[in-house]
Amino acid sequence: MTDTAVVHQTHDVPQPKQHGKPGGILRHTSIVTGTALGLVAAIVTYAIGSHFFVPWGTTNADASQVGLNALVAATYFAWVIFFMIGIGAFAGPIRWALGHDLTHDDAEYMAGKDQGKWRYWKYTTDHKVVGTQYLIMAMFLLGLGGLLAMLIRTELGITWAEVFDPNFYNSLIGTHGIVMIIALIIVVTGPFGNFILPIMIGARDMAFPRLNALSFWLLFAAIPPLASNLFLGGIRDGWTVYQPLASQAPIGMIGYQVTIIVFAFSTGVASVNLITTSVTMRARGMTWNRVPIFVIGVIASSVMGLVWFPMFQYSQMLALSDKVIATSFYNPIMGGSVWLYENLFWLLGHPEVYVVVIPGTAALMELMVVFLRKPLFSYKVAIAGFAGVVGISSIVWVHHMYMTGWAPSAGYPFMLSTELISIPFGFLVLVMLGTLWRGKPWTRLPMMCVYAVIWDKVVGGITGVYLSDVPVDQYMHGSMFVVAHFHYMLMGAGLFAAIGATAYWFPKMTGRMLDERLGSIGFWVAFFGFQLTFGSMFVAGLQGMPRRVLQFDNAFNISNWLSTVGAYTIGIGMLIFLYAVITSWRSGKPSGSNPWGGKTLEWQTETPVPLENFPVLPVVTSDPYGYGVPDPYDAVLEADKQPAGVA
Amino acid sequence: MSIDNPPTIEVDQPEEPTNRPAADHRLKEWLSRGYVRRIIALSIVIGLLIIPLAWVVIHFMNLSGAPASAIMVEIERTMFVFTVVSAPLMAITLAILFYSLTGWGRVTGEDPPMQESPAIRTNGTAVVLWIAATSILAGFLVIWGLVELATITSYANGSTPANQQPNGQKAIDINVTGQQWVWTFQYPDQGAVTSDTLIVPINVPLYFNVTSKDVVHDFWVVELGIKIDANPGAITNTGVTPDKLGTFNIRCAELCGLHHAYMQTKIQVVTQAEFDAWVREMGGKRTV
């Protein structure tokens, strides 16, 4: 560290007057008060609403159903709003409205200073706390989604009988889908975008610390409405909840719609925060050519989330409106359109895949240079790849609608755009291959995830090329082939990259090393189970097995048995990995501040990371990829371009 | 020649490009490196393993029955060609991936490796070649796809792709209605014959008007390679000319509720005489 940084000058600046103890009412609010107030508000809303507003006695079944739908929606929203009030989310704005500024001590209290472990259960603004909360939440959601996946595969593996009631089976696949989608959207940008990114760019916190806490607790509040659907008839319509099937659904569907509406606010807030932080809070000297590639990946992902998530939100707002005030946006009999829903849905639905894959890919690029002791190959090509994917991802959504009959001629332009996106996506593969080129890998778990993910991307990418083609899609659409393909992208390239990122940044987040042996065993068991599961699922799809069925022709038996065996293998692997995470977190080997010898800023500060990350803000003098020795083959050396590392 | 024994290249001043060895000399030197040769060999081996996948893919698609229409033939041809043309890039990618596991050495152990790898920041030639190769591949796939789409569209319309002219035969109109969870087929030209199994004559163009009474279904005739959503409040169209006698599968390919899995029926492709007999038996009138 140099002595060029500006020291805090709090003593020179007139501070707002401290009213009472630091934190004020926030000293008393926590997840307990939030949950209590939320539950009370939900119960009161339900009681008042059912007494006064639901026309129970009416002979008009539609009116009664609409009234009940409105009641359930109001109950869910009451839970969300009053949970947020109860946890203290609005304490800051209310104090401003009352004319009291927050003091420095208030801000430090809100950041969780000297509150021990309890700060993880409060509306804490410290980005490291939020990041850790996101990691736990992502693991919880992945566990829930994984459990549902095991149940799905159990049904499909037992080919001689119906294990579950078809309604329950349908809600299994719907809930599995949406839970996993939410989990994968947060699994990299949530934990590592929040915990690591600010340190990586040399900032003391996110640009908007209170919004950071808001984004996490909104997500938290959105989960109970989603989970409760399993007791209210379930989400029986797949994760896409196509209309008008969804309008026939039981009231569990309201939970889906409320969850998506709230979750969209959460991602919007998080995206704004991540973009603003990355753009404005970088350390002195961190020019755009010196920004770690992970930051670029998070920005790319956040931009897509910010622009396209509102489409998903609108689609569900209109669906909810159809339910609770009997509008006809999607009701064909009344002039509504099912194709309107499908368009709004896929406007997010496709960019969402890249929202998942890009930050994971960027995290792997970030870590592979450390394990290869080589600079990132063609940083600028990587950025061009991210930019290209972000740009083109906005004009490919109709490839999900080739077979709807909505616009037969649209197949031509959208086939073009969909196949073009493979070019910038190919840039990312080039960067990873170029970085591997002539490197000696340090074969630790994070590095091995790079190999696994590139393999999955090759398989997922090539099968994606088939599906982008309209004639082929005419056979494959709605078949198990599609299911296998997107699991290769979302799980193979998304989740396994998140595992790599977790293994890499685990020491910084917990101060302990992830158990290499157990973690690797779990990872590889899951990886090979994954290949078996979805490799055989490709075969089922090629044979013509439709997706989302619970019974099928005997011709598909063998591939389904293999898939189920593979799925249980994944389950075992993931449990081993989870066990490794939990035991290492509790009692793993202490890691020190820089166990991997990384050059990005997060490894230059101590572990555990202090409240404001750096004693003195760092000044950056080069990009973080100054690894490697001169190429022995290369007699042409440009000595002045050898970076000197981070000061 | 291994990395431990790098060759010496006679280059004095980077500022004087005239002193750099000629391009062909550099290429020759590059190709003489051991790892380059091994990766090329590995790529060829992997490529030779991938190309047979094209037949394997077709084999799986044909497990439940060989193509029964020109459209399905085109779809399988596209799968075959795509597998073959993407094989080289896949092979190179996987070859580098597998080779790098140990090929350039590897480091194990607890501590960060002391020995660093070559500081290759970028390589203009590699970038240009990669972008060119992926663009050519994507361009080929797009053009192939556009042509194939036009081809199957004209097959669906009962015309020949070459001249876009109807091939002289009048298509049989069939109204397909999906409802939870059955398919109904109505033959308006045959005196409104209605059936829950699709019975059609061979080598006669069929034209489907597809709709739904309730939710979105998807009309998928597997071995004939056609698929179109059945939407409430709208009629969508597709068509095909079956060219093989036999019984094939019709499945619903869009989740439509409780008994989606059981929403399937059969299509029987029969001779014209058998079809006429069936229509008479159903009380309809003879085809024109």
Side-chain angles (χ1 to χ4, degrees), chain A residues 162 165-167 170 173 236-238 240 242-245 248 332 338-339 342 370-379 381 403-406 411-412 415-416 419-420 422-423 426-427 429-430 433 436-444 448 450-451 454-455 458 462 465-466 469-479 481 539 541-553 556 589 594-597 623 625-633 635-637 642-643, chain B residues 1-3 6-7 9 11 14 20 29-30 33-36 39 56-57 60-64 71-72 75 78-79 82-83 86 90 92-94 96-98 100-102 104-113 115-123 126-127 130-131 134-135 138 141-146 148-150 152-153 180 214-216 218 220 222-223 225-229 231-234 236 238 249 251-262 264 266:
Chain A
E162 267 185 21
D165 170 68
N167 271 332
N170 284 351
I173 56 176
R236 298 175 182 173
D237 315 314
T240 54
Y242 267 17
Q243 300 285 342
L245 183 62
Q248 297 179 346
V338 299
W339 289 324
E342 290 166 21
V370 178
F371 289 84
L372 288 157
R373 317 309 289 183
K374 270 188 90 217
L376 189 68
F377 182 81
S378 285
Y379 178 80
V381 171
M403 296 305 133
T404 57
W406 163 65
Y412 295 92
M415 177 158 55
L416 177 72
E419 283 174 3
L420 285 188
S422 62
I423 297 174
F427 289 9
V429 176
L430 169 69
L433 289 181
L436 286 177
W437 187 257
R438 294 177 59 192
K440 294 185 192 60
W442 181 22
T443 52
R444 301 294 297 263
M448 299 321 283
V450 174
Y451 288 98
I454 295 179
W455 165 265
V458 170
I462 295 297
V465 166
Y466 295 144
D469 184 84
V470 184
V472 174
D473 194 54
Q474 185 157 319
Y475 185 80
M476 299 298 182
H477 173 85
S479 77
F481 193 87
V539 175
L542 287 170
Q543 285 180 265
M545 177 178 167
R547 63 191 283 202
R548 296 164 167 164
V549 296
L550 84 168
Q551 280 292 304
F552 38 81
D553 285 3
F556 310 129
K589 198 179 100 190
N594 191 0
W596 311 119
D623 79 4
Y625 302 126
Y627 300 94
V629 291
D631 185 350
Y633 281 107
V636 184
L637 292 182
Q642 291 302 308
Chain B
M1 210 171 286
S2 80
I3 187 148
I9 310 170
V11 179
R20 294 189 83 192
E29 185 276 322
W30 190 74
R33 298 178 186 181
Y35 65 86
V36 173
I39 287 176
V56 174
V57 163
F60 283 131
M61 290 174 82
N62 286 344
L63 269 187
S64 51
I71 291 179
M72 193 61 197
I75 291 173
T78 304
M79 291 289 287
F82 279 19
T83 313
S86 35
M90 258 178 107
I92 291 169
T93 305
L94 294 178
I96 297 173
L97 188 69
F98 292 139
S100 88
L101 273 167
T102 56
W104 290 293
R106 68 194 187 111
V107 185
T108 51
E110 290 282 299
D111 298 315
Q115 198 182 3
E116 307 233 327
S117 302
I120 306 168
R121 283 269 170 173
T122 187
N123 183 318
V127 171
W130 178 271
I131 294 176
T134 51
S135 303
L141 298 175
V142 168
I143 291 167
W144 178 279
L146 294 174
E148 282 289 296
L149 178 54
I152 66 163
T153 307
Q180 289 168 324
D214 36 48
V215 302
V216 180
D218 190 289
W220 180 18
V222 180
E223 290 84 355
I226 56 166
K227 180 181 283 162
I228 192 85
D229 273 7
N231 295 283
T236 51
T238 186
N249 292 296
R251 300 197 176 102
C252 177
E254 189 62 66
L255 179 60
C256 58
L258 188 61
H259 296 303
H260 165 59
Y262 302 101
Q264 39 182 300
K266 297 287 179 190

Side-chain angles (χ1 to χ4, degrees), chain A residues 394-622:
Chain A
S394 58
I395 48 166
V396 298
W397 80 97
V398 174
H399 68 223
H400 296 268
M401 297 176 63
Y402 284 156
M403 296 305 133
T404 57
W406 163 65
S409 304
Y412 295 92
F414 282 92
M415 177 158 55
L416 177 72
S417 60
T418 306
E419 283 174 3
L420 285 188
I421 206 169
S422 62
I423 297 174
F425 202 79
F427 289 9
L428 305 179
V429 176
L430 169 69
V431 170
M432 297 181 95
L433 289 181
T435 310
L436 286 177
W437 187 257
R438 294 177 59 192
K440 294 185 192 60
W442 181 22
T443 52
R444 301 294 297 263
L445 176 56
M447 185 61 208
M448 299 321 283
C449 291
V450 174
Y451 288 98
V453 166
I454 295 179
W455 165 265
D456 289 339
K457 270 188 187 162
V458 170
V459 178
I462 295 297
T463 51
V465 166
Y466 295 144
L467 292 172
S468 69
D469 184 84
V470 184
V472 174
D473 194 54
Q474 185 157 319
Y475 185 80
M476 299 298 182
H477 173 85
S479 77
M480 281 305 216
F481 193 87
V482 176
V483 180
H485 158 71
F486 74 70
H487 277 86
Y488 261 94
M489 289 320 270
L490 289 176
M491 184 175 177
L495 181 59
F496 287 153
I499 287 180
T502 308
Y504 178 58
W505 280 307
F506 194 82
K508 185 51 70 175
M509 293 180 76
T510 66
R512 296 176 187 280
M513 300 301 290
L514 183 64
D515 188 320
E516 176 75 15
R517 204 170 135 262
L518 268 182
S520 299
I521 292 172
F523 175 76
W524 286 115
V525 169
F527 178 79
F528 287 109
F530 174 83
Q531 306 302 325
L532 179 61
T533 308
F534 296 101
S536 6
M537 203 177 281
F538 279 128
V539 175
L542 287 170
Q543 285 180 265
M545 177 178 167
R547 63 191 283 202
R548 296 164 167 164
V549 296
L550 84 168
Q551 280 292 304
F552 38 81
D553 285 3
N554 289 337
F556 310 129
N557 280 358
I558 295 174
S559 51
N560 275 283
W561 292 333
L562 292 176
S563 276
T564 298
V565 171
Y568 287 145
T569 314
I570 300 175
I572 293 168
M574 289 297 181
L575 284 178
I576 297 173
F577 187 80
L578 182 67
Y579 178 78
V581 167
I582 293 172
T583 51
S584 307
W585 203 322
R586 291 162 60 100
S587 55
K589 198 179 100 190
S591 64
S593 65
N594 191 0
W596 311 119
K599 295 198 178 189
T600 38
L601 285 176
E602 79 271 24
W603 301 112
Q604 315 312 320
T605 189
E606 57 188 290
T607 304
V609 185
L611 184 59
E612 291 194 318
N613 300 346
F614 300 95
V616 179
L617 282 180
V619 173
V620 176
T621 56
S622 76

Side-chain angles (χ1 to χ4, degrees), chain A residues 247-267:
Chain A
S247 64
Q248 297 179 346
I251 49 176
M253 181 55 60
I254 310 262
Y256 177 99
Q257 288 153 353
V258 171
T259 297
I260 295 306
I261 291 168
V262 176
F263 180 56
F265 283 121
S266 163
T267 51

